Amino acid sequence: MPLFAPSEMVAIVLCAGLGTRLRPLTRFVPKTAVPLGRWPLALHNVLQLLQAGATTVHCNTHYLAPFVENELARALEDAGYPATALRFWREEPLLETGGGVAHICQSLAREEGWKAPKDALVVSGDIYGDIPLQEMISSWSQADPLQAALLCTREAESGRTDVTWVDPARNCVVGFGKDVSPSEALARGLRARNFSNHQIVRGAVVENAHIEKRSSIDLFYRAALSRGLTIAHVELAQARPWFNVGTYREYEECVQSLTPLADFQEAEASDDYSPPTQCLVVSLGQKKGGEGALTFPASPALRLPLCPWPFTTRRLGCLRTLPCSEQGESLATILSSLLPNLVASLFSPSFSGGGWSPRPETSPLVFRLPLPTSLGWALSHPLLVPLELFETSSFGGGSWTPEAVSGLYATSETFFLLTPVRSPG
C-alpha cells in the first residue's frame, strides 16, 4: 500500500519565490529550477512525493513561471514520469507560501466538488533533503480534530530570531519568533527549532483562510494557535540531509553534500554531463605561460573559448530548456544578436595571445545548455559564456574588448557552457 494516500491529501511543492539572494544567477534561472545533480532542485521533492504514492504534485509558480514549468516538466519526463503528474498554478500577484497553498487547495475543492479542501502535505521547492514522509504521515494519521497542522523542525542555528518554539513535553509547536520571549521559553522548558518547511495543514484550516499574500505561519498557524488549536511536531534528525538553497554558499554546500561516487560517476557517464570533445582545456586559477598553460589547437577553425576542465563537483549539470531574463527574453534570443561580437573578441589575436589571472580560489558553477539549431542560427562549437555577460547592456553594442571579456572570466562565479545539438526529429 502506498505511503501517500492521494484520496486523502493534496501534495504541493512551492515554486513561486523570487530567489533574490542567489542573483545574478536567478535573473535568468529561477531558484527552484537550478540544476542539482541530475535534476532541477525542486524536482527532487516532486520525485519523493510521487515515489511515495502521490498521483499529482501541485506547484505554484510566479517568477519566470514559463521556465520553471518547462524545466520541471521536461526533467520529470526524463525521470520516467508523465509531465501530467505535475499541475502548475500561476500566481498574479505573488501570494507567498500561505496564500499559495490556500489558492491551490480552495480551487481544487471547487473544481472537484469537495465539501471542503483536503489536507495538504506541503514542501518548499528550494529545500533539498530527505523528507521524513513516513514520520509525518504516521503522526498525522493519529491526529485529533483539534490538531490544525503538523510541522517538521530541526535543530536551530545559534543566534536566529525566526525560530519555531516547540514544547518537548507535549511534542507540539507553541509559537514563532518573538511570540515567545526567551525568559518565557526558559520557564516553560521550550526549545528553539528551525522550521524545515515540511508541513501538513488540515483542510478545515485552509478552508477558513483568505487567499492573500501571507506566509503559512501568519495565515494558518498563528491563527490556529490563537483559536486554541494544536500543531503537532515531528523531529527532523540532524543527520538527515537538509539544505536551504538560498545563497551561492548554501548552493555550493548542497552540491558538495551529494555523494561523488554515486551521483557524479553516474553523471560523467551521461550525455548530459559529457564535456565537448573539441574544447580548449584550461584550469581556472592558472595563468597563461604557467603550469597548465593555455594552448590552442593548430587549426584556426578549431580555436575555442576558455573552458575549465576537469570540472569540479560544482559542475552542476544540464539545463533542459532555455532560460529567460526577467523581461522574458530567451537566452537564445539574446545570443542570436550578440554571439558574433563575443566570438570575434575571443578569437582575436590580441586576446588569444594575452594572459589572464582568474581568482585561484574560485571553483565556478558551470551549467551545460544545449542549443538546438532550430533556433534560426548556428553555433558551430562549444562556447563558455560568463553569466555577467548577459547582464551588461553594452554586450551587443560592439564595445567588448579582449580585456573586458578576459576580466569576466577572471571574476565570474557562474558560466553557461553552450553546446550545439541537433533538433529533435
Side-chain angles (χ1 to χ4, degrees):
M1 181 177 178
L3 171 65
F4 196 98
S7 61
E8 301 173 5
M9 203 171 290
V10 176
I12 298 176
V13 176
L14 300 171
C15 297
L18 302 178
T20 54
R21 293 186 299 145
L22 201 56
R23 287 185 175 174
L25 175 59
T26 47
R27 287 180 61 84
F28 300 94
V29 182
K31 180 167 64 170
T32 51
V34 296
L36 183 64
R38 296 186 63 192
W39 312 119
L41 173 58
L43 195 75
H44 291 273
N45 290 330
V46 171
L47 291 175
Q48 288 185 67
L49 293 170
L50 292 174
Q51 290 160 3
T55 54
T56 303
V57 176
H58 300 267
C59 301
N60 65 333
T61 60
H62 170 75
Y63 176 63
L64 296 179
F67 181 62
V68 178
E69 295 166 9
N70 292 339
E71 187 75 6
L72 290 180
R74 170 73 180 278
L76 186 63
E77 291 179 326
D78 290 349
Y81 290 88
T84 52
L86 280 172
R87 180 171 179 184
F88 297 103
W89 301 78
R90 290 196 188 180
E91 295 178 2
E92 290 295 344
L94 180 66
L95 294 173
E96 292 194 11
T97 57
V101 171
H103 174 234
I104 292 172
C105 291
Q106 292 180 20
S107 298
L108 281 173
R110 288 194 299 270
E111 284 183 13
E112 302 296 333
W114 300 333
K115 292 182 179 180
K118 292 181 179 180
D119 300 345
L121 191 153
V122 185
V123 298
S124 292
D126 59 356
I127 299 294
Y128 171 78
D130 184 8
I131 307 172
L133 288 173
Q134 180 69 62
E135 296 92 326
M136 292 174 68
I137 294 177
S138 176
S139 176
W140 188 249
S141 66
Q142 304 169 30
D144 62 58
L146 293 179
Q147 189 166 290
L150 176 147
L151 304 186
C152 184
T153 73
R154 66 197 305 273
E155 185 177 330
E157 297 95 339
S158 60
R160 290 192 63 149
T161 58
D162 58 339
V163 296
T164 297
W165 293 103
V166 172
D167 183 343
R170 295 190 296 145
N171 200 34
C172 63
V173 173
V174 297
F176 305 91
K178 294 182 179 179
D179 296 349
V180 179
S181 67
S183 58
E184 180 186 357
L186 183 63
R188 297 172 60 185
L190 305 181
R191 289 192 300 164
R193 308 283 296 175
N194 281 347
F195 179 29
S196 71
N197 285 37
H198 306 324
Q199 57 196 301
I200 299 176
V201 55
R202 190 174 294 282
V205 172
V206 177
E207 181 182 25
N208 295 323
H210 294 290
I211 299 176
E212 56 186 308
K213 186 178 180 180
R214 295 176 70 189
S215 69
S216 296
I217 289 174
D218 288 334
L219 190 60
F220 303 138
Y221 307 137
R222 282 193 168 106
L225 291 174
S226 69
R227 297 198 302 270
L229 302 178
T230 61
I231 299 177
H233 168 253
V234 166
E235 176 94 6
L236 180 64
Q238 201 68 14
R240 203 159 189 163
W242 185 91
F243 293 89
N244 182 0
V245 179
T247 64
Y248 267 86
R249 180 176 180 180
E250 291 166 334
Y251 192 7
E252 180 182 8
E253 290 174 350
C254 185
V255 174
Q256 291 177 342
S257 75
L258 302 178
T259 306
L261 291 180
D263 288 352
F264 287 100
Q265 283 186 354
E266 180 180 0
E268 290 302 325
S270 165
D271 288 341
D272 284 347
Y273 291 78
S274 298
T277 55
Q278 295 180 333
C279 199
L280 179 63
V281 176
V282 58
S283 236
L284 287 184
Q286 301 289 348
K287 293 184 179 180
K288 184 178 177 70
E291 182 182 352
L294 307 188
T295 57
F296 286 90
S299 169
L302 292 178
R303 282 191 175 184
L304 302 178
L306 308 178
C307 177
W309 182 259
F311 288 113
T312 69
T313 53
R314 288 189 69 184
R315 183 166 68 105
L316 301 183
C318 177
L319 292 170
R320 288 160 174 78
T321 58
L322 297 177
C324 298
S325 69
E326 286 179 316
Q327 292 73 35
E329 297 174 294
S330 73
L331 191 60
T333 300
I334 298 173
L335 281 173
S336 64
S337 60
L338 307 181
L339 185 62
N341 234 10
L342 176 64
V343 172
S345 295
L346 287 174
F347 293 170
S348 67
S350 59
F351 178 69
S352 60
W356 60 293
S357 304
R359 293 175 297 171
E361 74 280 5
T362 298
S363 177
L365 302 170
V366 181
F367 301 99
R368 181 173 181 266
L369 180 60
L371 299 180
T373 55
S374 61
L375 294 171
W377 55 278
L379 180 65
S380 60
H381 51 69
L383 182 66
L384 188 75
V385 181
L387 177 69
E388 284 76 6
L389 217 49
F390 301 121
E391 295 208 296
T392 307
S393 58
S394 61
F395 180 58
S399 61
W400 277 104
T401 63
E403 291 75 18
V405 175
S406 178
L408 288 179
Y409 277 97
T411 58
S412 181
E413 287 187 280
T414 308
F415 294 83
F416 289 119
L417 176 60
L418 309 172
T419 57
V421 296
R422 292 185 180 275
S423 302

